[in-house]
């Protein structure tokens, strides 16, 4: 899911409460180079106002035109764009692109209330729409799930599928947390030092004063989890890394120079970690973009995290940096995107 989807739902609820007719439009399937992925969401008001996106713009224009000319569906209905090359070009789809949507009238907003409340508690939920009856129900979801459509039931996820554990609560961590939230990560910061706990003020994040290794074990890190250690204190960073490197977390990185990274790996070799586990460590952390300020360093870290998440090669690294070899089956190939 995308944070934009929650904004779309909140706006649709507001329009409905004000007495407007509202339709939700969801991308069901794409073929070729379609602009938006399955699950992308748009809300369309009866007078043509829209929020959200299902394409590069031309499809939205056509949906608005349909509503303004009286095409107002009363039950979930399928719409298909880009059947021919000419139509694909007309609607701004790359050559060969196809896009199938479902448009549904918003009859009630109780389920939106539930989605917004539960995602506000950092829960991951699925909205299930029955295209034959128009009924909607909200169910718990697992991080491993993706958007699905079987011809009748649409199952869309809302809430954070991806999770980031930040070790250390300094200035860099605060900026990093804010940016990670914007990328739809659930963010947890861990720092047992009282002076850092008292100054942590990042709305939307969770904070733990546990020892990092204890928290890593408690969280049961999965392939949708990232760990970023940025305290510069080996007593804290290394404790987290010792446990995280044994986990299936898709990304594990630690702040430090190439010399510090080499020294850290030597320390880790003194414990019960295999060479392959130690080699999973990303260090120095982040892509090489000439970053200097905390915000720039946070950008470089998140760029690397996103690249690994999406199965993209880390070509922009400093010479001599430790770059873990891709695991068998990249993240995206494993269906975890």
């Amino acid at each position: 899911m995308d944070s934009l989807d929650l904004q779309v739902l909140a706006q649709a609820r507001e329009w409905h409460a004000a007495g407007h007719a509202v339709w939700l439009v969801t991308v069901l399937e794409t073929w070729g180079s379609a602009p938006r992925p399955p699950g992308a969401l748009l809300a369309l008001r009866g007078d043509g106002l829209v929020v959200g996106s299902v394409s590069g713009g031309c499809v939205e224009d056509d949906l608005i035109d349909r509503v303004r000319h009286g095409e107002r569906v009363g039950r979930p209905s399928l719409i298909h764009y880009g059947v021919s090359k000419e139509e694909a070009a007309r609607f701004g789809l790359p050559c060969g692109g196809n896009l199938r949507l479902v448009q549904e009238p918003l009859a009630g907003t109780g389920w939106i209330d539930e989605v917004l409340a539960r995602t506000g508690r950092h829960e991951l939920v699925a909205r299930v729409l029955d295209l034959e009856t128009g009924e909607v129900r909200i169910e718990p979801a697992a991080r491993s799930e993706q958007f699905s459509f079987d011809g009748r039931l649409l199952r869309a996820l809302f809430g954070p599928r991806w999770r980031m554990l930040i070790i250390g609560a300094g200035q860099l961590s605060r900026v990093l947390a804010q940016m990670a939230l914007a990328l739809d990560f659930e963010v947890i910061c861990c720092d047992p030092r009282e002076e850092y706990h008292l100054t942590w003020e990042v709305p939307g994040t969770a904070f733990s004063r546990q020892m990092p290794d204890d928290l890593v074990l408690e969280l049961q890190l999965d392939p949708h989890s990232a760990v970023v250690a940025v305290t510069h204190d080996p007593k804290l960073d290394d404790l987290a890394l010792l446990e995280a490197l044994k986990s299936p977390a898709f990304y594990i990185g630690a702040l430090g120079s190439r010399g510090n990274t080499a020294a850290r790996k030597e320390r880790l070799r003194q414990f019960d970690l295999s060479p392959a586990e130690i080699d999973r460590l990303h260090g120095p952390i982040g892509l090489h973009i000439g970053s200097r300020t905390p915000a720039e360093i946070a950008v470089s870290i998140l760029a690397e995290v996103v690249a690994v998440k999406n199965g993209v090669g880390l070509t922009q690294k400093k010479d001599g940096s430790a770059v873990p070899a891709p695991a068998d089956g990249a993240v995206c190939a494993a269906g975890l995107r």
Side-chain angles (χ1 to χ4, degrees), residues 141-193:
R143 292 180 187 274
S144 58
E145 291 186 60
Q146 301 184 74
F147 175 90
S148 64
F149 176 60
D150 65 6
R152 174 174 176 174
L153 296 179
L154 175 158
R155 186 177 175 88
L157 304 181
F158 295 91
R161 292 184 64 220
W162 302 93
R163 175 170 57 175
M164 178 177 290
L165 172 60
I166 302 173
I167 309 301
Q171 185 180 21
L172 170 59
S173 299
R174 288 193 287 273
V175 179
L176 180 65
Q178 292 166 344
M179 292 183 180
L181 288 172
L183 291 172
D184 293 309
F185 280 84
E186 176 186 358
V187 178
I188 305 159
C189 182
C190 177
D191 200 322
R193 300 169 296 181

Side-chain angles (χ1 to χ4, degrees), residues 12-257:
R13 180 177 64 176
E14 184 177 320
W15 285 342
H16 186 272
H20 292 282
V22 181
W23 290 265
L24 295 178
V25 182
T26 306
V27 176
L28 288 181
E29 297 173 300
T30 64
W31 297 267
S33 302
R36 294 281 282 148
L41 188 64
L42 171 147
L44 172 61
R45 206 168 81 172
D47 58 0
L49 287 184
V50 297
V51 61
S53 174
V54 293
S55 81
C58 292
V59 166
E60 285 82 351
D61 290 343
D62 185 67
L63 292 168
I64 292 169
D65 189 63
R66 288 173 183 240
V67 166
R68 285 178 171 170
H69 285 83
E71 189 176 322
R72 302 184 172 211
V73 300
R75 59 186 304 277
S77 303
L78 298 178
I79 305 173
H80 195 174
Y81 290 96
V83 176
S84 65
K85 184 180 295 186
E86 292 73 20
E87 187 176 84
R90 173 191 168 198
F91 290 112
L93 301 173
C95 185
N98 281 262
L99 185 64
R100 188 155 67 136
L101 313 172
V102 61
Q103 181 176 357
E104 58 180 299
L106 183 60
T109 59
W111 67 267
I112 296 180
D113 295 338
E114 184 176 357
V115 167
L116 295 180
R118 293 177 65 173
T119 56
R121 297 193 295 267
H122 305 290
E123 294 181 35
L124 178 62
V125 298
R127 174 202 176 216
V128 181
L129 168 67
D130 188 323
L131 267 66
E132 289 191 7
T133 66
E135 294 179 355
V136 174
R137 66 179 185 271
I138 306 302
E139 301 177 347
R143 292 180 187 274
S144 58
E145 291 186 60
Q146 301 184 74
F147 175 90
S148 64
F149 176 60
D150 65 6
R152 174 174 176 174
L153 296 179
L154 175 158
R155 186 177 175 88
L157 304 181
F158 295 91
R161 292 184 64 220
W162 302 93
R163 175 170 57 175
M164 178 177 290
L165 172 60
I166 302 173
I167 309 301
Q171 185 180 21
L172 170 59
S173 299
R174 288 193 287 273
V175 179
L176 180 65
Q178 292 166 344
M179 292 183 180
L181 288 172
L183 291 172
D184 293 309
F185 280 84
E186 176 186 358
V187 178
I188 305 159
C189 182
C190 177
D191 200 322
R193 300 169 296 181
E194 184 173 357
E195 60 271 25
Y196 286 90
H197 170 253
L198 295 175
T199 59
W200 182 262
E201 296 180 357
V202 183
T205 66
F207 191 94
S208 173
R209 297 181 63 186
Q210 293 177 253
M211 291 303 292
D213 53 335
D214 292 335
L215 181 59
V216 168
L217 291 172
E218 181 181 304
L219 291 174
Q220 298 183 348
L221 301 178
D222 60 17
H224 285 82
S225 301
V227 177
V228 179
V230 293
T231 71
H232 274 305
D233 184 345
K235 295 189 301 294
L236 298 178
D237 287 347
D238 290 5
L239 282 173
L241 298 174
L242 279 170
E243 300 301 337
L245 289 168
K246 303 174 191 175
S247 78
F250 78 90
Y251 180 92
I252 303 161
L255 191 67
S257 66

